[in-house]
């Protein structure tokens, strides 16, 4: 998977259009319920475990930030 494919996952789960992966989820109109659904989909489809705390960091609460967190989780296995 790459960033554009990940963006499509975000679009599918959150019913939004990602034009800039750096745009925070909240600015895309993603509410808290869809954010949780997105985390669950990421964990299920990509087989990684992300701590919800990643969303507390504005730099990670975007499609690009979440994709970086997924890649880091795959590398380190920390989940944080």
């Amino acid at each position: 998977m790459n960033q554009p494919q990940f963006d499509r996952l975000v679009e599918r789960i959150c019913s939004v259009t990602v034009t800039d992966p750096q745009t925070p989820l909240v600015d895309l109109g993603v509410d808290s319920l869809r954010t949780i659904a997105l985390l669950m989909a990421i964990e299920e489809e990509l087989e990684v475990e992300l701590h919800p705390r990643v969303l507390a960091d504005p730099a990670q609460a975007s499609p690009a930030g979440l994709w970086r967190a997924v890649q880091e989780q795959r590398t380190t296995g920390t989940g944080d």
Side-chain angles (χ1 to χ4, degrees), residues 31-57:
D31 63 18
S32 59
L33 291 176
R34 289 191 185 214
T35 299
I36 297 302
L38 177 60
L39 282 180
M40 292 171 57
I42 290 169
E43 290 180 355
E44 183 177 312
E45 293 187 30
L46 303 179
E47 299 179 352
V48 297
E49 185 175 337
L50 296 179
H51 194 285
R53 184 174 38 228
V54 299
L55 297 170
D57 180 353

Side-chain angles (χ1 to χ4, degrees), residues 3-74:
Q3 183 69 57
Q5 292 168 325
F6 187 80
D7 293 345
R8 286 192 293 279
L9 171 67
V10 172
E11 291 176 338
R12 179 170 49 89
I13 300 301
C14 298
S15 299
V16 297
T17 300
V18 177
T19 55
D20 177 2
Q22 300 294 334
T23 303
L25 293 173
V26 68
D27 290 348
L28 292 172
V30 179
D31 63 18
S32 59
L33 291 176
R34 289 191 185 214
T35 299
I36 297 302
L38 177 60
L39 282 180
M40 292 171 57
I42 290 169
E43 290 180 355
E44 183 177 312
E45 293 187 30
L46 303 179
E47 299 179 352
V48 297
E49 185 175 337
L50 296 179
H51 194 285
R53 184 174 38 228
V54 299
L55 297 170
D57 180 353
Q60 290 186 320
S62 68
L66 287 173
W67 178 236
R68 281 190 302 273
V70 166
Q71 292 175 309
E72 181 177 313
Q73 164 60 17
R74 287 179 167 171

